[in-house]
Structures are given as structure tokens and as C-alpha cells.
Amino acid sequence: MSLELTISEAIKTAMRAKDRVALDSLRAVKSQILLLKTEALGAEVSPEQEIAILQRMVKQRKDSYDQFMAQGRNDLAEVEDAQMKVIEQYLPKQLSNEELEAEIKAIIAETGAESMKDLGKVMGTASKNLAGKSDGKSISEMAKKLLS
């Protein structure tokens, strides 16, 4: 089942349960998917694009959460955190630090990277192979740690 259909069903469930946070979050996801379809002139959205949408939305919520916490607006931060948790349910299982480290070590061996000069090669391959399984910041930090 595509993400769009899954989200539509989840919206119905959230409406029945009167879960306002889930409803707002899911409507935002559906809106982004429809926007992407409109830009692509009605073409189907690929699973990779769906994951990218979800990751972008989680990152936006995380950034907003951090800003609200820094400003002492806990009420707004709680809303962002709750929405982030709803959206994360639709992402593939994220890699643990140990799994991420093992994956990046394998990529480093595969690309023959030896120093920070080869970070671009490692990041290019890692970004493709680990799309949806880990965010770019975590991948970058781990690659830098392993290459230094």
C-alpha cells in the first residue's frame, strides 16, 4: 500500500478518535504528497520521494522544537514533538549508532576512503544506501568520526 493510501486511512482513524495532533500531522504529510504530485504533473510519487518528504517534515519539526525550547515556549515545543512522533511512525526503522557505524565502515572499505579528503565519496554512497534509515546529519558525523 502506498504512503498516500496509508496516510488517508490513518486520517480517517484519527478523525474517529478525535486525535487532533495526529490529524494535523497526517494532513500535513498528505498535503506535501499532493503538492509533489501536482509539481510532477500527476505522476506517481516514488517510495524514495515519500521517505524524503517524511524525513524533511521530521527535520522541520525537530528544528522548530529546538527553537521553541531555546525560547522557553514549552507549550509550542510539545506540539512539535508530538507531531514529530506521529510522522516518524511512517518512516522505516532507523539504524542504531552501532548499525550506522558498521554500515559506514563497510562503505569506507568499499570506496577505499582513507582520510577526510575522501569524505565526499563516502557521503555520496552512504546517502544513497542509507536513505530513510538514518538522517544526513548522523551519517555525516559518523563518517567524519571514522575518517579522522
Side-chain angles (χ1 to χ4, degrees):
M1 183 184 300
S2 75
L3 179 65
E4 185 177 7
L5 294 174
T6 304
I7 296 294
S8 293
E9 290 301 314
I11 287 173
K12 291 175 191 173
T13 303
M15 288 169 81
R16 287 187 203 110
K18 295 184 175 32
D19 185 349
R20 193 80 198 147
V21 173
L23 189 58
D24 290 344
S25 305
L26 296 169
R27 282 181 173 162
V29 172
K30 185 166 185 177
S31 168
Q32 290 296 312
I33 292 171
L34 291 175
L35 185 64
L36 185 63
K37 284 176 87 171
T38 303
E39 289 172 357
L41 302 173
E44 282 301 311
V45 178
S46 72
E48 293 81 21
Q49 290 173 313
E50 293 173 344
I51 290 171
I53 289 170
L54 293 173
Q55 285 179 321
R56 185 174 60 246
M57 293 182 77
V58 166
K59 184 179 183 313
Q60 287 170 345
R61 302 293 182 294
K62 210 173 276 187
D63 291 344
S64 296
Y65 174 82
D66 292 341
Q67 288 178 355
F68 289 140
M69 289 302 284
Q71 296 171 357
R73 295 296 310 266
N74 295 344
D75 55 329
L76 296 174
E78 288 173 10
V79 171
E80 293 296 325
D81 187 47
Q83 287 186 357
M84 183 172 53
K85 288 178 180 169
V86 170
I87 296 168
E88 283 176 338
Q89 294 174 0
Y90 298 93
L91 278 171
K93 180 184 171 292
Q94 300 295 294
L95 295 175
S96 68
N97 279 340
E98 294 78 25
E99 293 169 327
L100 180 61
E101 185 173 353
E103 290 283 338
I104 293 182
K105 280 182 180 178
I107 291 169
I108 289 172
E110 174 188 316
T111 58
E114 297 174 1
S115 67
M116 287 297 285
K117 288 187 223 172
D118 302 318
L119 182 63
K121 285 194 271 186
V122 173
M123 285 302 296
T125 306
S127 295
K128 281 183 201 164
N129 295 353
L130 303 176
K133 297 178 186 173
S134 187
D135 63 292
K137 184 178 178 184
S138 300
I139 294 170
S140 175
E141 287 173 355
M142 186 64 69
K144 287 176 183 174
K145 177 183 147 190
L146 294 173
L147 287 173
S148 60

